[in-house]
Amino acid sequence: MGVMRRWLRIAIDILAVLVLAGYGWTIQRTRVGAADPTWTAVARRGVLRVGSDPGFRPFAEEQGGRWSGYDVDLVTEIARRLGVKVELRPVGYDALYDTLASGEVDMLASALPLAPEQGWRARFSSPYLDAGQVLVVRAGSGIRGEDGLAGHVAGAALGSEGDTLLRRLHQGDPKVVVRSSYETPEAALDALRRGEVDAVVTDAVSALGLTETDRRFVILTPGLTFEPYVLAMPVGAYQLQGKVDRILADLRAGGFFERLNVRWFEASQPRSSFK
């Protein structure tokens, strides 16, 4: 058994060296100006193939072959500015990076958090949305940030990251009253709307569903945590990444993302919850 373990360890070490060597070769080739095979194929084909999980509203949804959603609008506009068409392909969330690595798609757009551990087979765009934890309050409440929660009731979904953050705040200052009996972020935000709590800590996506629908409520900045959503491309797609990042910068400057927020985070909320 000891000999077998030694040989297994040697085999694993060799495999790790080969993986690192391959990744280093890819990086070196991009540094010396080798062609980006992904962008070359996209330009020749005239089509940007994008993998997305159509089960996460409001980012992507497919019905009868027709796609809609925040990420769909984003990659459609990116493709237009690249001078190509976009072809969306449904991919289960757990299979996204495998599909990218196999060359079946040129890009992933599926509310993807930045994943450094996938850096050996993917490269990432600059962030286009921060989905981290934020503090939501009624406009004019006088609460300016987490330091101002003493003496107030703050809500969160039970067991959520917001719940954990609030409990830490309470440990530091017992005057912060935590109410985390809500089953979902939406339930906690409804409690804020009814005046049962003075503030809610939740993810930015859920928060936008309220603040883009009811302007009496605001998201305080800066956020409490940072969870950037990015687009993923094959590790050798350095030219495509550069073009996409330039487009994202132009879209930010032109107010494109503010318009997406209004369109998709308003539309994603049940109207009965915000009468």
Coordinates of all heavy atoms in Angstrom, one line a residue, residues 148-207:
G148 N -24.6 53.3 12.3 CA -25.8 54.0 12.8 C -26.9 53.1 13.2 O -28.0 53.6 13.4
L149 N -26.7 51.8 13.3 CA -27.8 50.9 13.5 C -28.1 50.7 15.0 O -29.2 50.1 15.4 CB -27.5 49.5 12.9 CG -27.6 49.4 11.4 CD1 -27.2 48.0 11.0 CD2 -29.0 49.7 10.9
A150 N -27.3 51.3 15.9 CA -27.6 51.2 17.3 C -28.9 51.8 17.7 O -29.2 52.9 17.2 CB -26.4 51.8 18.1
G151 N -29.7 51.1 18.4 CA -31.0 51.6 18.8 C -32.1 51.4 17.7 O -33.2 51.8 17.9
H152 N -31.7 50.7 16.6 CA -32.7 50.4 15.6 C -32.9 48.9 15.4 O -32.0 48.1 15.9 CB -32.2 51.0 14.2 CG -32.1 52.5 14.2 ND1 -33.2 53.3 14.0 CD2 -31.1 53.3 14.4 CE1 -32.9 54.5 14.1 NE2 -31.6 54.6 14.3
V153 N -34.0 48.5 14.8 CA -34.2 47.1 14.5 C -33.8 46.8 13.1 O -34.3 47.5 12.1 CB -35.7 46.8 14.7 CG1 -36.0 45.3 14.4 CG2 -36.2 47.2 16.1
A154 N -32.9 45.9 12.9 CA -32.4 45.5 11.6 C -32.9 44.1 11.2 O -32.7 43.2 12.1 CB -30.9 45.6 11.5
G155 N -33.3 43.9 10.0 CA -33.8 42.6 9.6 C -33.0 41.9 8.6 O -32.2 42.6 7.9
A156 N -33.1 40.6 8.5 CA -32.4 39.8 7.5 C -33.1 38.5 7.3 O -33.9 38.0 8.2 CB -31.0 39.6 7.8
A157 N -32.9 37.8 6.2 CA -33.4 36.4 6.1 C -32.7 35.5 7.0 O -31.4 35.5 7.1 CB -33.3 36.0 4.6
L158 N -33.4 34.6 7.6 CA -32.8 33.6 8.6 C -31.7 32.8 7.9 O -32.0 32.2 6.8 CB -33.9 32.7 9.2 CG -33.4 31.7 10.2 CD1 -32.8 32.4 11.4 CD2 -34.6 30.8 10.6
G159 N -30.5 32.7 8.5 CA -29.4 31.9 8.0 C -28.7 32.5 6.8 O -27.8 31.9 6.3
S160 N -29.1 33.7 6.4 CA -28.4 34.3 5.2 C -27.1 35.0 5.7 O -26.8 35.1 6.9 CB -29.3 35.4 4.6 OG -29.5 36.5 5.5
E161 N -26.3 35.4 4.7 CA -25.1 36.2 5.0 C -25.4 37.5 5.7 O -24.7 37.9 6.6 CB -24.3 36.5 3.7 CG -22.9 37.1 4.0 CD -22.1 37.3 2.7 OE1 -22.6 36.8 1.6 OE2 -21.1 37.9 2.8
G162 N -26.6 38.1 5.4 CA -27.0 39.3 6.1 C -27.3 39.0 7.5 O -27.0 39.8 8.4
D163 N -27.9 37.9 7.8 CA -28.1 37.4 9.2 C -26.8 37.3 10.0 O -26.7 37.8 11.1 CB -28.9 36.1 9.2 CG -29.3 35.6 10.6 OD1 -29.2 36.4 11.5 OD2 -29.8 34.5 10.7
T164 N -25.8 36.7 9.4 CA -24.5 36.6 10.0 C -23.9 37.9 10.3 O -23.3 38.2 11.4 CB -23.6 35.7 9.1 OG1 -24.2 34.4 8.9 CG2 -22.2 35.6 9.8
L165 N -24.0 38.8 9.3 CA -23.4 40.2 9.5 C -24.1 40.9 10.6 O -23.4 41.6 11.4 CB -23.5 40.9 8.2 CG -22.6 40.5 7.0 CD1 -22.9 41.2 5.8 CD2 -21.1 40.7 7.4
L166 N -25.4 40.8 10.7 CA -26.1 41.5 11.7 C -25.8 41.0 13.1 O -25.7 41.7 14.1 CB -27.6 41.5 11.5 CG -28.1 42.4 10.4 CD1 -29.6 42.2 10.2 CD2 -27.9 43.9 10.8
R167 N -25.7 39.7 13.2 CA -25.3 39.1 14.5 C -24.0 39.5 15.0 O -23.7 39.7 16.2 CB -25.5 37.5 14.4 CG -26.9 37.1 14.2 CD -27.0 35.5 14.1 NE -28.4 35.1 13.8 CZ -29.4 35.0 14.7 NH1 -29.2 35.3 15.9 NH2 -30.6 34.7 14.3
R168 N -23.0 39.6 14.1 CA -21.7 40.1 14.4 C -21.8 41.6 14.9 O -21.1 42.0 15.9 CB -20.8 40.1 13.2 CG -20.3 38.6 12.9 CD -19.5 38.6 11.6 NE -19.1 37.3 11.3 CZ -18.6 37.0 10.1 NH1 -18.3 37.9 9.2 NH2 -18.3 35.7 9.8
L169 N -22.6 42.4 14.2 CA -22.8 43.8 14.7 C -23.4 43.8 16.1 O -23.1 44.6 16.9 CB -23.7 44.5 13.7 CG -23.1 44.9 12.3 CD1 -24.1 45.5 11.4 CD2 -21.9 45.9 12.6
H170 N -24.4 42.9 16.3 CA -25.0 42.9 17.6 C -24.0 42.5 18.7 O -24.1 43.0 19.8 CB -26.2 41.9 17.6 CG -26.9 41.7 18.9 ND1 -27.7 42.6 19.5 CD2 -26.8 40.7 19.8 CE1 -28.1 42.2 20.7 NE2 -27.6 41.0 20.9
Q171 N -23.2 41.6 18.4 CA -22.1 41.2 19.4 C -21.2 42.4 19.8 O -20.8 42.5 20.9 CB -21.3 40.0 18.8 CG -22.0 38.7 18.8 CD -21.2 37.6 18.2 OE1 -20.1 37.9 17.7 NE2 -21.7 36.4 18.2
G172 N -21.0 43.2 18.8 CA -20.1 44.4 19.0 C -20.9 45.5 19.7 O -20.3 46.3 20.4
D173 N -22.2 45.5 19.5 CA -23.0 46.6 20.1 C -24.4 46.0 20.3 O -25.2 45.9 19.4 CB -23.1 47.8 19.2 CG -23.8 49.0 19.8 OD1 -24.5 48.8 20.9 OD2 -23.8 50.1 19.3
P174 N -24.7 45.6 21.5 CA -26.0 45.0 21.8 C -27.2 45.9 21.6 O -28.4 45.4 21.5 CB -25.9 44.6 23.3 CG -24.5 44.5 23.6 CD -23.8 45.6 22.7
K175 N -27.0 47.2 21.3 CA -28.1 48.1 21.0 C -28.6 47.9 19.6 O -29.7 48.4 19.3 CB -27.6 49.6 21.2 CG -27.3 49.9 22.6 CD -26.9 51.4 22.7 CE -26.6 51.8 24.2 NZ -26.1 53.2 24.3
V176 N -27.9 47.2 18.8 CA -28.4 46.8 17.5 C -29.3 45.6 17.6 O -28.9 44.5 18.1 CB -27.2 46.4 16.5 CG1 -27.8 46.0 15.1 CG2 -26.3 47.5 16.3
V177 N -30.6 45.8 17.4 CA -31.6 44.8 17.5 C -31.8 44.0 16.2 O -32.0 44.6 15.2 CB -33.0 45.4 17.9 CG1 -34.0 44.3 18.1 CG2 -32.8 46.2 19.2
V178 N -31.6 42.7 16.3 CA -31.6 41.9 15.1 C -32.9 41.1 15.0 O -33.3 40.5 16.0 CB -30.4 40.9 15.1 CG1 -30.5 40.0 13.8 CG2 -29.1 41.6 15.1
R179 N -33.6 41.2 13.9 CA -34.8 40.4 13.7 C -34.6 39.6 12.4 O -34.6 40.1 11.3 CB -36.0 41.3 13.5 CG -37.3 40.5 13.4 CD -38.5 41.5 13.5 NE -38.5 42.1 14.9 CZ -39.3 43.1 15.2 NH1 -40.1 43.6 14.2 NH2 -39.3 43.7 16.4
S180 N -34.3 38.3 12.5 CA -34.0 37.5 11.4 C -34.9 36.2 11.3 O -34.4 35.1 11.0 CB -32.5 37.1 11.4 OG -32.2 36.3 12.6
S181 N -36.1 36.4 11.5 CA -37.1 35.3 11.5 C -37.7 35.2 10.1 O -38.6 34.3 9.9 CB -38.2 35.5 12.5 OG -38.9 36.8 12.3
Y182 N -37.3 36.0 9.1 CA -37.9 36.0 7.8 C -37.3 34.9 7.0 O -36.1 34.6 7.0 CB -37.6 37.4 7.1 CG -38.1 38.5 8.0 CD1 -37.2 39.3 8.7 CD2 -39.4 38.8 8.2 CE1 -37.6 40.3 9.5 CE2 -39.9 39.8 9.0 CZ -38.9 40.5 9.7 OH -39.4 41.6 10.5
E183 N -38.1 34.2 6.2 CA -37.7 33.1 5.4 C -36.9 33.4 4.2 O -36.1 32.7 3.7 CB -38.9 32.2 5.0 CG -39.6 31.6 6.1 CD -40.8 30.7 5.7 OE1 -41.0 30.5 4.5 OE2 -41.4 30.1 6.5
T184 N -37.2 34.6 3.6 CA -36.5 35.0 2.4 C -36.1 36.5 2.5 O -36.6 37.3 3.3 CB -37.4 34.9 1.2 OG1 -38.5 35.8 1.3 CG2 -38.0 33.5 1.0
P185 N -35.1 36.9 1.6 CA -34.8 38.4 1.6 C -36.0 39.2 1.2 O -36.2 40.3 1.8 CB -33.7 38.4 0.5 CG -33.1 37.1 0.4 CD -34.2 36.1 0.7
E186 N -36.9 38.7 0.4 CA -38.1 39.5 0.0 C -39.0 39.7 1.2 O -39.6 40.8 1.3 CB -38.8 38.8 -1.1 CG -38.1 38.8 -2.5 CD -36.9 37.9 -2.5 OE1 -36.8 36.9 -1.7 OE2 -36.0 38.1 -3.4
A187 N -39.1 38.7 2.1 CA -39.9 38.8 3.2 C -39.4 39.9 4.2 O -40.1 40.7 4.8 CB -40.1 37.5 3.9
A188 N -38.0 39.9 4.3 CA -37.4 40.9 5.2 C -37.6 42.3 4.6 O -37.9 43.3 5.3 CB -35.9 40.6 5.3
L189 N -37.5 42.4 3.3 CA -37.7 43.7 2.6 C -39.2 44.2 2.8 O -39.5 45.4 2.9 CB -37.3 43.7 1.2 CG -35.8 43.5 1.0 CD1 -35.5 43.2 -0.5 CD2 -35.1 44.8 1.4
D190 N -40.1 43.2 2.7 CA -41.5 43.6 2.9 C -41.7 44.1 4.3 O -42.6 45.0 4.6 CB -42.4 42.4 2.7 CG -42.8 42.2 1.2 OD1 -42.6 43.1 0.4 OD2 -43.2 41.0 0.9
A191 N -41.0 43.5 5.3 CA -41.1 44.0 6.7 C -40.6 45.4 6.8 O -41.1 46.2 7.6 CB -40.3 43.1 7.6
L192 N -39.5 45.7 6.1 CA -39.0 47.1 6.0 C -40.1 48.1 5.5 O -40.3 49.1 6.0 CB -37.8 47.2 5.2 CG -37.2 48.6 5.0 CD1 -36.7 49.2 6.3 CD2 -36.0 48.5 4.0
R193 N -40.8 47.6 4.4 CA -41.8 48.4 3.8 C -43.0 48.7 4.8 O -43.5 49.8 4.8 CB -42.3 47.8 2.5 CG -43.3 48.6 1.7 CD -43.8 47.9 0.5 NE -44.7 48.7 -0.2 CZ -46.0 48.8 0.1 NH1 -46.4 48.2 1.2 NH2 -46.8 49.6 -0.6
R194 N -43.3 47.7 5.6 CA -44.4 47.8 6.5 C -44.0 48.6 7.8 O -44.9 48.9 8.6 CB -44.9 46.4 6.9 CG -45.6 45.7 5.8 CD -46.3 44.5 6.3 NE -45.4 43.5 6.9 CZ -44.8 42.5 6.3 NH1 -45.1 42.3 5.0 NH2 -44.0 41.7 6.9
G195 N -42.7 48.9 7.9 CA -42.3 49.6 9.1 C -42.0 48.7 10.3 O -41.8 49.2 11.4
E196 N -41.9 47.4 10.1 CA -41.6 46.5 11.2 C -40.1 46.5 11.6 O -39.8 46.2 12.7 CB -42.0 45.0 10.8 CG -43.5 44.8 10.6 CD -43.8 43.5 10.1 OE1 -42.9 42.6 10.0 OE2 -45.0 43.2 9.7
V197 N -39.3 46.8 10.6 CA -37.8 47.0 10.9 C -37.4 48.3 10.3 O -38.1 48.9 9.5 CB -37.0 45.8 10.3 CG1 -37.4 44.5 10.9 CG2 -37.2 45.8 8.8
D198 N -36.2 48.8 10.8 CA -35.7 50.1 10.3 C -34.7 50.0 9.2 O -34.4 50.9 8.5 CB -35.1 50.8 11.5 CG -36.0 51.0 12.7 OD1 -37.1 51.5 12.5 OD2 -35.6 50.7 13.8
A199 N -34.2 48.8 9.0 CA -33.2 48.5 8.0 C -33.1 47.0 7.7 O -33.6 46.2 8.5 CB -31.8 49.0 8.5
V200 N -32.6 46.7 6.6 CA -32.5 45.3 6.2 C -31.1 45.1 5.5 O -30.6 46.0 4.8 CB -33.6 44.9 5.1 CG1 -33.2 43.5 4.5 CG2 -34.9 44.7 5.8
V201 N -30.4 44.0 5.9 CA -29.2 43.6 5.3 C -29.5 42.5 4.4 O -30.0 41.4 4.8 CB -28.1 43.3 6.3 CG1 -26.8 42.8 5.6 CG2 -27.7 44.5 7.2
T202 N -29.2 42.6 3.1 CA -29.5 41.6 2.1 C -28.6 41.7 0.9 O -27.8 42.7 0.8 CB -31.0 41.6 1.7 OG1 -31.3 40.5 0.9 CG2 -31.3 42.9 0.9
D203 N -28.7 40.8 -0.1 CA -27.9 40.9 -1.3 C -28.4 42.0 -2.1 O -29.6 42.4 -2.1 CB -27.9 39.6 -2.0 CG -29.3 39.2 -2.5 OD1 -30.1 38.7 -1.7 OD2 -29.6 39.5 -3.7
A204 N -27.5 42.6 -3.0 CA -27.8 43.7 -3.8 C -28.9 43.4 -4.8 O -29.7 44.3 -5.1 CB -26.6 44.3 -4.4
V205 N -28.9 42.2 -5.3 CA -30.0 41.9 -6.3 C -31.3 41.9 -5.7 O -32.3 42.5 -6.3 CB -29.7 40.5 -6.9 CG1 -30.8 40.0 -7.8 CG2 -28.4 40.5 -7.7
S206 N -31.5 41.4 -4.5 CA -32.8 41.5 -3.8 C -33.2 42.9 -3.5 O -34.3 43.4 -3.6 CB -32.8 40.6 -2.6 OG -32.6 39.2 -2.9
A207 N -32.1 43.6 -3.0 CA -32.4 45.0 -2.6 C -32.8 45.9 -3.8 O -33.7 46.7 -3.7 CB -31.1 45.6 -2.0

